[in-house]
């Protein structure tokens, strides 16, 4: 069993910063690629950023230059540092963590999400 938990969301004024955490736990060998997504009410889930196990990052145009994804492999944790937040960044933020298990295909697991609300 694998659990993925996001945290760090909250209420922040426009221009402010937040750091989200995504922790993967359970029975797996190593943490692979992890991505962050968000979903605002009435919208589809939007891709934000990916960090793979080799340290390669990718960002959506909407957050490039403002958001930074990083990881602590020892803690099986991936972070999303969000700076210069805008009201349109308000959404539930999710991470999708891929785990490597012996003898099984790499599998992605979603967390339950963490709410980020940016006020003007």
């Amino acid at each position: 069993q694998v659990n993925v938990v996001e945290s760090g969301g909250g209420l922040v004024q426009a221009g402010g910063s937040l750091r989200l955490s995504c922790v993967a736990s359970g029975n797996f060998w190593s943490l692979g690629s992890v991505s962050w997504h968000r979903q605002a009410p009435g919208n589809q889930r939007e891709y934000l950023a990916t960090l793979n196990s080799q340290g390669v990052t990718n960002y959506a145009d909407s957050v490039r230059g403002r958001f930074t994804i990083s990881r602590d492999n020892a803690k099986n944790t991936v972070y999303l540092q969000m700076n210069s937040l805008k009201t349109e960044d308000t959404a539930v933020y999710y991470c999708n963590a891929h785990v490597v298990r012996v003898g099984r295909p790499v599998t992605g697991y979603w967390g339950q999400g963490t709410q980020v609300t940016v006020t003007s």
Side-chain angles (χ1 to χ4, degrees):
Q1 184 177 353
V2 176
N3 293 309
V4 176
V5 179
E6 303 96 335
S7 63
L11 187 68
V12 63
Q13 285 190 328
S17 299
L18 282 175
R19 189 177 80 156
L20 307 183
S21 298
C22 170
V23 181
S25 62
N27 187 18
F28 59 90
W29 179 255
S30 65
L31 187 61
S33 175
V34 178
S35 58
W36 283 97
H37 308 252
R38 67 186 178 191
Q39 188 166 18
N43 291 355
Q44 292 186 337
R45 192 165 295 190
E46 175 191 11
Y47 166 81
L48 300 176
T50 300
L51 174 58
N52 69 14
S53 56
Q54 286 76 45
V56 178
T57 60
N58 184 66
Y59 294 94
D61 289 342
S62 59
V63 302
R64 186 176 291 112
R66 298 190 299 126
F67 290 10
T68 302
I69 190 170
S70 62
R71 65 195 287 158
D72 183 336
N73 290 326
K75 296 180 179 180
N76 288 325
T77 300
V78 173
Y79 304 99
L80 186 68
Q81 177 66 44
M82 307 187 296
N83 298 328
S84 303
L85 284 163
K86 307 174 183 179
T87 55
E88 52 263 44
D89 292 319
T90 295
V92 178
Y93 284 68
Y94 300 90
C95 74
N96 183 257
H98 287 80
V99 299
V100 180
R101 292 172 290 181
V102 175
R104 302 184 67 175
V106 175
T107 306
Y109 291 85
W110 290 95
Q112 82 292 343
T114 185
Q115 175 71 46
V116 172
T117 302
V118 184
T119 62
S120 58

Short mmCIF file of all heavy atoms in Angstrom, two decimals, residues 11-53:
data_model
loop_
_atom_site.label_atom_id
_atom_site.label_comp_id
_atom_site.label_asym_id
_atom_site.label_seq_id
_atom_site.Cartn_x
_atom_site.Cartn_y
_atom_site.Cartn_z
N LEU A 11 -4.30 30.14 3.26
CA LEU A 11 -4.77 31.43 2.78
C LEU A 11 -3.61 32.41 2.73
O LEU A 11 -2.87 32.56 3.72
CB LEU A 11 -5.86 31.95 3.73
CG LEU A 11 -6.61 33.22 3.35
CD1 LEU A 11 -7.48 32.94 2.13
CD2 LEU A 11 -7.48 33.66 4.53
N VAL A 12 -3.44 33.07 1.59
CA VAL A 12 -2.31 33.98 1.43
C VAL A 12 -2.75 35.15 0.56
O VAL A 12 -3.62 34.99 -0.31
CB VAL A 12 -1.09 33.25 0.83
CG1 VAL A 12 -1.39 32.73 -0.57
CG2 VAL A 12 0.15 34.13 0.84
N GLN A 13 -2.16 36.30 0.77
CA GLN A 13 -2.47 37.46 -0.05
C GLN A 13 -1.71 37.38 -1.37
O GLN A 13 -0.63 36.76 -1.46
CB GLN A 13 -2.10 38.75 0.67
CG GLN A 13 -3.06 39.13 1.78
CD GLN A 13 -2.80 40.52 2.31
OE1 GLN A 13 -1.67 40.98 2.34
NE2 GLN A 13 -3.86 41.20 2.74
N ALA A 14 -2.26 38.02 -2.36
CA ALA A 14 -1.60 38.09 -3.67
C ALA A 14 -0.20 38.67 -3.50
O ALA A 14 -0.01 39.64 -2.74
CB ALA A 14 -2.42 38.93 -4.63
N GLY A 15 0.76 38.06 -4.18
CA GLY A 15 2.15 38.47 -4.06
C GLY A 15 2.92 37.66 -3.03
O GLY A 15 4.16 37.73 -2.98
N GLY A 16 2.20 36.91 -2.22
CA GLY A 16 2.82 36.12 -1.18
C GLY A 16 3.34 34.79 -1.69
O GLY A 16 3.31 34.50 -2.89
N SER A 17 3.79 33.97 -0.73
CA SER A 17 4.40 32.69 -1.05
C SER A 17 3.84 31.58 -0.16
O SER A 17 3.40 31.85 0.96
CB SER A 17 5.92 32.75 -0.86
OG SER A 17 6.52 33.70 -1.71
N LEU A 18 3.89 30.38 -0.68
CA LEU A 18 3.57 29.18 0.08
C LEU A 18 4.50 28.07 -0.40
O LEU A 18 4.91 28.07 -1.56
CB LEU A 18 2.12 28.74 -0.13
CG LEU A 18 1.01 29.46 0.60
CD1 LEU A 18 -0.34 28.93 0.13
CD2 LEU A 18 1.13 29.31 2.11
N ARG A 19 4.75 27.12 0.48
CA ARG A 19 5.48 25.93 0.07
C ARG A 19 4.63 24.71 0.39
O ARG A 19 4.29 24.47 1.55
CB ARG A 19 6.84 25.80 0.77
CG ARG A 19 7.68 24.67 0.19
CD ARG A 19 9.04 24.55 0.80
NE ARG A 19 9.01 23.86 2.09
CZ ARG A 19 10.06 23.22 2.62
NH1 ARG A 19 11.21 23.21 1.98
NH2 ARG A 19 9.93 22.64 3.80
N LEU A 20 4.31 23.97 -0.65
CA LEU A 20 3.55 22.74 -0.50
C LEU A 20 4.50 21.55 -0.40
O LEU A 20 5.58 21.56 -0.99
CB LEU A 20 2.62 22.53 -1.69
CG LEU A 20 1.67 23.68 -2.04
CD1 LEU A 20 0.76 23.29 -3.20
CD2 LEU A 20 0.86 24.11 -0.84
N SER A 21 4.06 20.55 0.35
CA SER A 21 4.83 19.32 0.48
C SER A 21 3.99 18.14 0.02
O SER A 21 2.77 18.13 0.20
CB SER A 21 5.24 19.10 1.94
OG SER A 21 6.07 20.12 2.40
N CYS A 22 4.66 17.16 -0.55
CA CYS A 22 4.02 15.92 -0.98
C CYS A 22 4.88 14.78 -0.44
O CYS A 22 6.03 14.63 -0.84
CB CYS A 22 3.94 15.87 -2.50
SG CYS A 22 3.44 14.28 -3.18
N VAL A 23 4.31 14.02 0.47
CA VAL A 23 5.05 12.93 1.10
C VAL A 23 4.46 11.59 0.67
O VAL A 23 3.25 11.38 0.80
CB VAL A 23 5.00 13.04 2.64
CG1 VAL A 23 5.79 11.90 3.26
CG2 VAL A 23 5.55 14.38 3.09
N ALA A 24 5.32 10.72 0.19
CA ALA A 24 4.91 9.37 -0.19
C ALA A 24 5.42 8.39 0.86
O ALA A 24 6.56 8.46 1.29
CB ALA A 24 5.46 9.00 -1.56
N SER A 25 4.53 7.50 1.28
CA SER A 25 4.92 6.51 2.28
C SER A 25 4.30 5.17 1.93
O SER A 25 3.32 5.10 1.17
CB SER A 25 4.47 6.95 3.67
OG SER A 25 3.07 7.06 3.73
N GLY A 26 4.86 4.13 2.50
CA GLY A 26 4.31 2.80 2.26
C GLY A 26 5.35 1.83 1.76
O GLY A 26 6.55 2.02 1.95
N ASN A 27 4.88 0.82 1.08
CA ASN A 27 5.73 -0.27 0.65
C ASN A 27 6.20 -0.05 -0.79
O ASN A 27 5.52 -0.46 -1.74
CB ASN A 27 4.96 -1.60 0.77
CG ASN A 27 5.84 -2.79 0.50
OD1 ASN A 27 7.06 -2.69 0.55
ND2 ASN A 27 5.22 -3.91 0.17
N PHE A 28 7.34 0.60 -0.94
CA PHE A 28 7.93 0.77 -2.27
C PHE A 28 9.43 0.92 -2.15
O PHE A 28 9.96 1.23 -1.08
CB PHE A 28 7.32 1.97 -3.01
CG PHE A 28 7.46 3.30 -2.30
CD1 PHE A 28 8.57 4.10 -2.51
CD2 PHE A 28 6.47 3.75 -1.44
CE1 PHE A 28 8.70 5.32 -1.88
CE2 PHE A 28 6.58 4.97 -0.80
CZ PHE A 28 7.71 5.76 -1.02
N TRP A 29 10.13 0.69 -3.29
CA TRP A 29 11.59 0.72 -3.29
C TRP A 29 12.11 2.15 -3.34
O TRP A 29 13.01 2.52 -2.60
CB TRP A 29 12.10 -0.08 -4.50
CG TRP A 29 13.58 -0.10 -4.62
CD1 TRP A 29 14.34 0.59 -5.52
CD2 TRP A 29 14.49 -0.85 -3.82
NE1 TRP A 29 15.67 0.32 -5.32
CE2 TRP A 29 15.80 -0.56 -4.30
CE3 TRP A 29 14.34 -1.73 -2.74
CZ2 TRP A 29 16.94 -1.13 -3.72
CZ3 TRP A 29 15.48 -2.29 -2.19
CH2 TRP A 29 16.75 -1.98 -2.68
N SER A 30 11.57 2.93 -4.25
CA SER A 30 12.05 4.30 -4.39
C SER A 30 10.96 5.16 -5.02
O SER A 30 10.00 4.65 -5.61
CB SER A 30 13.31 4.37 -5.25
OG SER A 30 13.04 3.98 -6.57
N LEU A 31 11.15 6.46 -4.87
CA LEU A 31 10.22 7.43 -5.42
C LEU A 31 10.72 7.83 -6.80
O LEU A 31 11.87 8.23 -6.96
CB LEU A 31 10.13 8.64 -4.50
CG LEU A 31 9.09 9.70 -4.83
CD1 LEU A 31 7.69 9.13 -4.78
CD2 LEU A 31 9.23 10.86 -3.83
N GLY A 32 9.84 7.73 -7.78
CA GLY A 32 10.21 8.12 -9.13
C GLY A 32 9.79 9.54 -9.42
O GLY A 32 9.93 10.43 -8.60
N SER A 33 9.23 9.72 -10.60
CA SER A 33 8.80 11.04 -11.03
C SER A 33 7.58 11.49 -10.21
O SER A 33 6.68 10.70 -9.93
CB SER A 33 8.44 10.99 -12.51
OG SER A 33 7.91 12.21 -12.95
N VAL A 34 7.60 12.77 -9.84
CA VAL A 34 6.48 13.34 -9.09
C VAL A 34 6.05 14.62 -9.79
O VAL A 34 6.87 15.44 -10.18
CB VAL A 34 6.86 13.65 -7.63
CG1 VAL A 34 5.68 14.30 -6.90
CG2 VAL A 34 7.29 12.38 -6.92
N SER A 35 4.75 14.78 -9.93
CA SER A 35 4.23 15.98 -10.57
C SER A 35 3.20 16.65 -9.68
O SER A 35 2.58 16.01 -8.82
CB SER A 35 3.61 15.65 -11.93
OG SER A 35 2.58 14.71 -11.79
N TRP A 36 3.05 17.95 -9.89
CA TRP A 36 2.03 18.74 -9.20
C TRP A 36 0.98 19.19 -10.20
O TRP A 36 1.30 19.54 -11.35
CB TRP A 36 2.65 19.96 -8.53
CG TRP A 36 3.37 19.68 -7.26
CD1 TRP A 36 4.71 19.49 -7.10
CD2 TRP A 36 2.78 19.57 -5.95
NE1 TRP A 36 4.99 19.26 -5.78
CE2 TRP A 36 3.83 19.32 -5.04
CE3 TRP A 36 1.48 19.67 -5.45
CZ2 TRP A 36 3.62 19.16 -3.67
CZ3 TRP A 36 1.27 19.51 -4.10
CH2 TRP A 36 2.34 19.26 -3.22
N HIS A 37 -0.26 19.22 -9.72
CA HIS A 37 -1.39 19.64 -10.53
C HIS A 37 -2.30 20.47 -9.65
O HIS A 37 -2.15 20.47 -8.42
CB HIS A 37 -2.15 18.42 -11.05
CG HIS A 37 -1.29 17.41 -11.75
ND1 HIS A 37 -1.32 17.22 -13.11
CD2 HIS A 37 -0.37 16.55 -11.26
CE1 HIS A 37 -0.45 16.28 -13.43
NE2 HIS A 37 0.15 15.87 -12.33
N ARG A 38 -3.25 21.14 -10.24
CA ARG A 38 -4.24 21.87 -9.46
C ARG A 38 -5.58 21.84 -10.18
O ARG A 38 -5.64 21.66 -11.40
CB ARG A 38 -3.80 23.31 -9.21
CG ARG A 38 -3.75 24.18 -10.46
CD ARG A 38 -3.17 25.55 -10.14
NE ARG A 38 -3.07 26.39 -11.33
CZ ARG A 38 -2.42 27.55 -11.36
NH1 ARG A 38 -1.78 27.99 -10.26
NH2 ARG A 38 -2.37 28.25 -12.48
N GLN A 39 -6.61 22.07 -9.40
CA GLN A 39 -7.95 22.12 -9.96
C GLN A 39 -8.75 23.18 -9.26
O GLN A 39 -8.97 23.12 -8.03
CB GLN A 39 -8.64 20.76 -9.84
CG GLN A 39 -9.96 20.68 -10.58
CD GLN A 39 -10.45 19.25 -10.72
OE1 GLN A 39 -10.02 18.35 -10.03
NE2 GLN A 39 -11.36 19.03 -11.66
N ALA A 40 -9.19 24.16 -10.03
CA ALA A 40 -10.05 25.21 -9.51
C ALA A 40 -11.50 24.82 -9.76
O ALA A 40 -11.79 24.02 -10.68
CB ALA A 40 -9.73 26.53 -10.20
N PRO A 41 -12.43 25.35 -8.98
CA PRO A 41 -13.85 25.00 -9.17
C PRO A 41 -14.30 25.24 -10.59
O PRO A 41 -14.06 26.32 -11.16
CB PRO A 41 -14.56 25.91 -8.17
CG PRO A 41 -13.54 26.20 -7.13
CD PRO A 41 -12.22 26.25 -7.85
N GLY A 42 -14.94 24.23 -11.17
CA GLY A 42 -15.47 24.36 -12.52
C GLY A 42 -14.45 24.15 -13.61
O GLY A 42 -14.80 24.20 -14.80
N ASN A 43 -13.20 23.93 -13.23
CA ASN A 43 -12.14 23.74 -14.22
C ASN A 43 -11.63 22.31 -14.21
O ASN A 43 -11.79 21.58 -13.22
CB ASN A 43 -10.97 24.69 -13.95
CG ASN A 43 -11.32 26.13 -14.20
OD1 ASN A 43 -12.41 26.44 -14.68
ND2 ASN A 43 -10.40 27.02 -13.88
N GLN A 44 -10.97 21.94 -15.29
CA GLN A 44 -10.30 20.64 -15.32
C GLN A 44 -8.99 20.71 -14.53
O GLN A 44 -8.47 21.80 -14.28
CB GLN A 44 -10.00 20.25 -16.78
CG GLN A 44 -11.25 19.93 -17.59
CD GLN A 44 -10.91 19.40 -18.97
OE1 GLN A 44 -9.82 19.64 -19.49
NE2 GLN A 44 -11.83 18.65 -19.57
N ARG A 45 -8.50 19.56 -14.16
CA ARG A 45 -7.23 19.50 -13.45
C ARG A 45 -6.12 19.97 -14.39
O ARG A 45 -6.05 19.54 -15.54
CB ARG A 45 -6.96 18.09 -12.94
CG ARG A 45 -5.81 18.01 -11.97
CD ARG A 45 -5.80 16.69 -11.22
NE ARG A 45 -6.96 16.54 -10.36
CZ ARG A 45 -7.08 15.57 -9.45
NH1 ARG A 45 -6.13 14.66 -9.32
NH2 ARG A 45 -8.16 15.49 -8.71
N GLU A 46 -5.29 20.85 -13.87
CA GLU A 46 -4.24 21.50 -14.66
C GLU A 46 -2.86 21.03 -14.21
O GLU A 46 -2.55 21.06 -13.02
CB GLU A 46 -4.35 23.02 -14.51
CG GLU A 46 -3.26 23.82 -15.18
CD GLU A 46 -3.27 25.28 -14.78
OE1 GLU A 46 -3.99 25.64 -13.81
OE2 GLU A 46 -2.54 26.08 -15.40
N TYR A 47 -2.04 20.66 -15.18
CA TYR A 47 -0.67 20.26 -14.89
C TYR A 47 0.17 21.49 -14.56
O TYR A 47 0.04 22.53 -15.21
CB TYR A 47 -0.09 19.54 -16.10
CG TYR A 47 1.41 19.38 -16.05
CD1 TYR A 47 1.98 18.36 -15.31
CD2 TYR A 47 2.23 20.27 -16.73
CE1 TYR A 47 3.36 18.22 -15.25
CE2 TYR A 47 3.61 20.14 -16.68
CZ TYR A 47 4.17 19.12 -15.93
OH TYR A 47 5.52 19.00 -15.87
N LEU A 48 1.06 21.34 -13.56
CA LEU A 48 1.91 22.45 -13.16
C LEU A 48 3.40 22.17 -13.36
O LEU A 48 4.12 22.99 -13.94
CB LEU A 48 1.68 22.80 -11.70
CG LEU A 48 0.27 23.23 -11.31
CD1 LEU A 48 0.18 23.46 -9.82
CD2 LEU A 48 -0.17 24.45 -12.09
N ALA A 49 3.88 21.05 -12.82
CA ALA A 49 5.33 20.83 -12.83
C ALA A 49 5.62 19.36 -12.56
O ALA A 49 4.82 18.66 -11.93
CB ALA A 49 6.01 21.69 -11.78
N THR A 50 6.78 18.92 -13.04
CA THR A 50 7.28 17.57 -12.81
C THR A 50 8.74 17.61 -12.43
O THR A 50 9.50 18.44 -12.94
CB THR A 50 7.13 16.70 -14.07
OG1 THR A 50 5.76 16.62 -14.44
CG2 THR A 50 7.67 15.29 -13.84
N LEU A 51 9.12 16.70 -11.54
CA LEU A 51 10.53 16.49 -11.20
C LEU A 51 10.78 14.99 -11.21
O LEU A 51 10.11 14.25 -10.48
CB LEU A 51 10.84 17.07 -9.82
CG LEU A 51 12.25 16.82 -9.25
CD1 LEU A 51 13.32 17.36 -10.18
CD2 LEU A 51 12.36 17.48 -7.88
N ASN A 52 11.69 14.56 -12.08
CA ASN A 52 11.92 13.11 -12.12
C ASN A 52 13.07 12.72 -11.20
O ASN A 52 13.68 13.56 -10.53
CB ASN A 52 12.14 12.64 -13.57
CG ASN A 52 13.45 13.12 -14.17
OD1 ASN A 52 14.34 13.59 -13.47
ND2 ASN A 52 13.56 13.00 -15.48
N SER A 53 13.35 11.44 -11.16
CA SER A 53 14.34 10.93 -10.21
C SER A 53 15.76 11.35 -10.58
O SER A 53 16.66 11.25 -9.74
CB SER A 53 14.24 9.40 -10.13
OG SER A 53 14.40 8.83 -11.41
#
